[in-house]
Structures are given as C-alpha cells and as structure tokens.
Amino acid sequence: MSQNMSEVKAVILVGGEGTRLRPLTSSVPKPMVPVLNKPFLQHVFKHLSNHGIRDIILALCYLPDNIQSYFGDGSDFGINLTYVVEDFPLGTAGAVKNVSQYIDSTFLVLNGDVYTDLDLTSMVAFHKEKGAKATIALTPVEDPSAYGVVDADADGRVKRFIEKPKREEAPSNMINAGTYVLEPDVLAHVEPQKFCMFERFLFPLLLETGQAVYAYPSDAYWIDIGTPDNYAKINLDLLSGETQADDSVDVHSSAKITGPVLFGSNCVVEADVVIEGPVVIGSGCIIKSGSFVRRAIIWPDTHLDSWTTIKDCVVGMGCRIEANACVVDGTVLGSDVVIGDSCHLSGGVRIDCGKSIDPDTTLKR
C-alpha cells in the first residue's frame, strides 16, 4: 500500500437515530447493528484498513457512549480512533466542519450507514490527478428519481446536481454514493456549529464559484443499511461458504443444517431442528427441538422454543419466541420481545423493544 494512503485520514459520519431501521435501532445506534455478528462499523474499519487508512475520526451524535465503549481508541482493531460528539445534529458538512481541527491534508468522508467495497486507493489517486477540491463517488441505481443525481462531463468534472429528478428526465442513473475525497480548505465555506449539508449547500457552492468538483463512478458493491430489508440483505450478501461455528456451539446430531450459516459462540441447537441458510445466529441463542429457520438474522441471546418457524425476518437481542409460533415474511422484532405460543406474524410487522404478544395472536402489516 502506498505511503500516501497511510497519510489520508477518514471521517465517518455517524448520524442520527436511524428511524427507518426501528425497532432495531431503538437501543442500538445504526452503525453498531450486528452484521455477521460484528458491529457494522467494524466492517467499514476493515475496508479502510485494507487501503492503508488507519487514522479515523468519528463524528458522533446518537448514543455515542455505545460506540466509544466498544471500540475504545481503536488499537484492538488496528486503527487510531478520534471521537467528536455533536451537541445537536449539524448535517453532513457541518459534522465534518466540527472535526476540522483534526484535518490538515486530503481526507475521506464516509457515511456511517453505507457499506461499499469501493476502491478508495484509486479514488484518492483520481482526485489528486485531477487537482480536485472535492471528488464524489457515484453508484448506479435502477431508479434515480428518489436520489440526488450527479451530472458530469466526459472528463468526470461535475456540471450540476439534480435532486430527485423524474425518472425520464434524469441525465443518468448515477447517484451520490456518500463517499467523498476532499481538500481541507473547502471547509472554510462552512460556518462552525451551523447545520450544513454537502449535497444541498457546499457542493453546489463549489460549482458556483468555479472550483474543481469531480465525479468518480464505480459499480462496486454499495448498500445503505438504513432499512430492515437492506439490513437483512447486507448480512445475507456478505455471508459465504459453509456453516461456520466454533467448538462452543452445541448442535444435536439429528439437526439438519445447510449453509451458509454463521453461529456466534455458545449456541445450542436441539434435536430435529432444520436451519436452511443463509442464516446468521448471534451468540448465546437456543433453538429448541423441531424448529425451522430459513433466511433469518437472529441477534444474540434469543430463545426459540420448540416447533417455531423463523423465516425471512430479523429477530433482535434477547427475544423469546414461544412454542409453535411463526415469525415470517419480513417481520422485524426489536430486542427483548416475547412472542406467545402459536402466534403468527407476517407481512413486515415490526414489534417494538420489550413488547409481549399474547398467545394465538395473528398480526399482519
């Protein structure tokens, strides 16, 4: 890895409450939701480290203690972490301005709820080659009408930004992917402690004043984990291979498991359980006899009683699904939920943390 990349710092915007991902984010900040049984942010850190980037600044707002207590100074993860907590939400550009005392050269900005395997080394090289003040990663989407479209010339220089154009009027399907390479002096345009967005203020202002703003298109993997569907998708997309379990996992000889399935530590799988991957099961989970699990994400310390069916859903931490219950079809359970005997939940129902559903209840969204 080039020495230049080791000198590039990254700012990760760890935003608000993640309301679209509730109830999963009711007690856990969005960047800490588990992906393959590790906090989402840990996957972002690994990607940065793979490109030689070790100095990372986290711009925090919602439940910052949760993140700081887990990652500490970052040394256990091979990185150096600096934390800056906002007193109130400052927006994307405002949050970066708020950490500007730690920035003295070309730097990266990443959204803390987006995962991508974008080639950051090539993007930084492109930015420097063009002499850009700002370079914006672009990703293709099927329908750009719900996003901000970036219109660039053949050389990659940005001509204009179009917010949520009609599908037939969009100049391309390339949208702002939420990863930027910036020069520190662009932050001079942002007032301290004022709400400010890159997309609506700073980038258009740079264009208006004739500064070099470039687009970096890529078809790299890209996903915003901000909805339950996308959260489930990233887990299932990144899961690969056969069943993965350490020696602490106790699986009965009559259980039938077809991968890919990932177990956390100290799980118990009883007789005649059927698990059909892709499935991610957190540590300390108990799956009682005769239960069936398919295409599900189950957080730690959840207990599935006998003959339960868990399919195409997300189950939060410390839940109890009682005997003969059926939780399927996009259902999302917050942490510490109790689903009574013989309940049937389907159609994307969301159950808030700590709620109990009486036996024999049918819920459909």
Side-chain angles (χ1 to χ4, degrees), residues 275-292:
I275 302 176
E276 296 180 356
V279 169
V280 179
I281 298 172
S283 61
C285 288
I286 298 173
I287 304 177
K288 304 286 279 187
S289 58
S291 290
F292 175 75

Side-chain angles (χ1 to χ4, degrees), residues 31-87:
M32 292 298 288
V33 296
V35 172
L36 303 189
N37 291 334
K38 297 176 182 177
F40 171 73
L41 260 185
Q42 195 168 335
H43 296 274
V44 179
F45 293 160
K46 182 179 179 182
H47 182 56
L48 288 168
S49 294
N50 287 343
H51 286 273
I53 298 168
R54 301 282 189 271
D55 289 316
I56 300 169
I57 304 157
L58 296 183
L60 303 176
C61 189
Y62 178 63
L63 298 177
D65 292 347
N66 189 302
I67 297 171
Q68 290 175 270
S69 62
Y70 186 92
F71 289 109
D73 64 5
S75 57
D76 289 345
F77 303 89
I79 55 177
N80 305 310
L81 286 177
T82 301
Y83 301 95
V84 180
V85 180
E86 299 171 15
D87 295 327

Side-chain angles (χ1 to χ4, degrees), residues 13 90-97 109 111 180 195-199:
L13 305 176
L90 291 170
T92 51
V96 176
K97 177 71 171 186
V109 176
N111 282 342
Y180 315 126
F195 184 89
C196 182
M197 299 293 288
F198 282 121
E199 306 88 333

Side-chain angles (χ1 to χ4, degrees), residues 264-279:
S265 60
N266 299 304
C267 291
V268 175
V269 180
E270 293 193 350
D272 301 316
V273 166
V274 176
I275 302 176
E276 296 180 356
V279 169

Side-chain angles (χ1 to χ4, degrees), residues 187-204:
L187 298 177
H189 300 285
V190 181
E191 291 186 54
Q193 295 298 306
K194 296 287 187 181
F195 184 89
C196 182
M197 299 293 288
F198 282 121
E199 306 88 333
R200 299 193 188 109
F201 173 76
L202 184 57
F203 291 156

Side-chain angles (χ1 to χ4, degrees), residues 100 131 166 188 197 222 270 293 349:
S100 58
K166 292 180 180 179
M197 299 293 288
W222 181 91
E270 293 193 350
V293 181
V349 169

Side-chain angles (χ1 to χ4, degrees), residues 123-176:
M123 184 176 176
V124 171
F126 173 88
H127 172 88
K128 291 183 174 180
E129 175 191 326
K130 297 295 185 182
K133 289 294 185 181
T135 299
I136 304 167
L138 307 185
T139 191
V141 294
E142 184 177 340
D143 180 5
S145 62
Y147 300 93
V149 175
V150 180
D151 188 18
D153 65 21
D155 190 45
R157 187 153 181 164
V158 174
K159 297 187 293 184
R160 56 180 176 152
F161 300 99
I162 309 166
E163 191 65 28
K164 297 182 179 179
K166 292 180 180 179
R167 189 169 185 173
E168 63 275 13
E169 295 176 0
S172 77
N173 68 335
M174 302 300 290
I175 67 163
N176 181 341

